[in-house]
Amino acid sequence: DRYPTFRQLFFQEAKIEPKSDAPAEMSVRRGIQAFQCFDETEKQLVQVRAQGYSFNRLAPYTSMDDYLPEIERTWNLFLKLMSPVQLRVVRLRYINRILLPLTNGKVELEQYLKMNLRPGDDKLMMTGFLNQYAAVEKETGHEVNVVVTSQPPEKDRLPIIFDNSVAS
């Protein structure tokens, strides 16, 4: 009742296998990728997929503490309905869009980001970037994947995407 809008997300996969002595073989696979349940605002959704459950909150956000009771409630509903026999991974992912101010079409990234994104040659003017790294915490085995990238400028702002995912 808290998620009145229901949608199915489909996938289609095509595979072409070349053969040296015959024409290439093509196969197509189609199916349901996820069942999505949206709240009235369509800013919050619960997804059930073959790989499991996910809770998603779209902007605007408040704090994680505000969402934990609903995550727990919907997770318990998922457990009751689906009766999974194994839990393989727990993942938390934040994707943030940060608008940096542009002055005369430029921004000093070092004022906002503590990473070296500048080209090594002063003759180059950077017009965009993508930085990604993955790491494992030695003691726990927890994994982190971080992506920081720019989007095309919007008026007097440079959108930066900060995608931070941790998994255990």
Side-chain angles (χ1 to χ4, degrees):
D1 62 330
R2 294 185 197 179
Y3 297 87
T5 304
F6 176 80
R7 294 189 190 126
Q8 293 181 27
L9 187 63
F10 296 93
F11 75 88
Q12 181 170 321
E13 180 180 277
K15 184 177 178 182
I16 300 173
E17 291 188 50
K19 304 284 183 181
S20 60
D21 57 346
E25 291 182 12
M26 182 173 156
S27 61
V28 176
R29 196 172 72 110
R30 298 178 183 100
I32 295 174
Q33 184 172 342
F35 297 111
Q36 300 177 317
C37 300
F38 290 83
D39 72 353
E40 310 80 33
T41 67
E42 296 207 4
K43 297 293 184 185
Q44 197 160 287
L45 69 140
V46 173
Q47 292 189 91
V48 176
R49 300 181 299 267
Q51 300 84 7
Y53 154 96
S54 73
F55 177 90
N56 305 269
R57 176 66 197 190
L58 307 174
Y61 315 106
T62 55
S63 75
M64 181 71 169
D65 291 337
D66 291 339
Y67 306 116
L68 282 175
E70 184 63 2
I71 292 169
E72 185 176 10
R73 186 186 79 80
T74 56
W75 169 250
N76 285 327
L77 285 171
F78 171 77
L79 291 177
K80 192 176 190 180
L81 289 169
M82 305 308 288
S83 302
V85 294
Q86 183 179 33
L87 183 64
R88 294 186 185 158
V89 66
V90 174
R91 182 174 291 119
L92 177 63
R93 184 176 184 191
Y94 284 94
I95 303 174
N96 294 287
R97 188 168 188 259
I98 304 163
L99 298 173
L100 301 182
L102 292 171
T103 304
N104 297 324
K106 296 181 182 181
V107 63
E108 292 298 325
L109 291 171
E110 296 81 14
Q111 291 180 7
Y112 304 96
L113 303 173
K114 292 188 177 194
M115 52 180 39
N116 182 14
L117 297 169
R118 295 275 177 213
D121 191 333
D122 290 338
K123 296 176 186 176
L124 298 174
M125 181 178 78
M126 186 166 54
T127 58
F129 64 88
L130 170 67
N131 184 317
Q132 178 178 5
Y133 69 87
V136 174
E137 188 177 40
K138 292 178 185 178
E139 287 181 27
T140 64
H142 297 163
E143 300 172 3
V144 63
N145 189 57
V146 177
V147 177
V148 181
T149 188
S150 61
Q151 292 184 317
E154 296 176 2
K155 297 181 183 175
D156 60 345
R157 303 276 182 200
L158 177 66
I160 302 295
I161 301 297
F162 175 63
D163 181 346
N164 188 24
S165 176
V166 292
S168 177

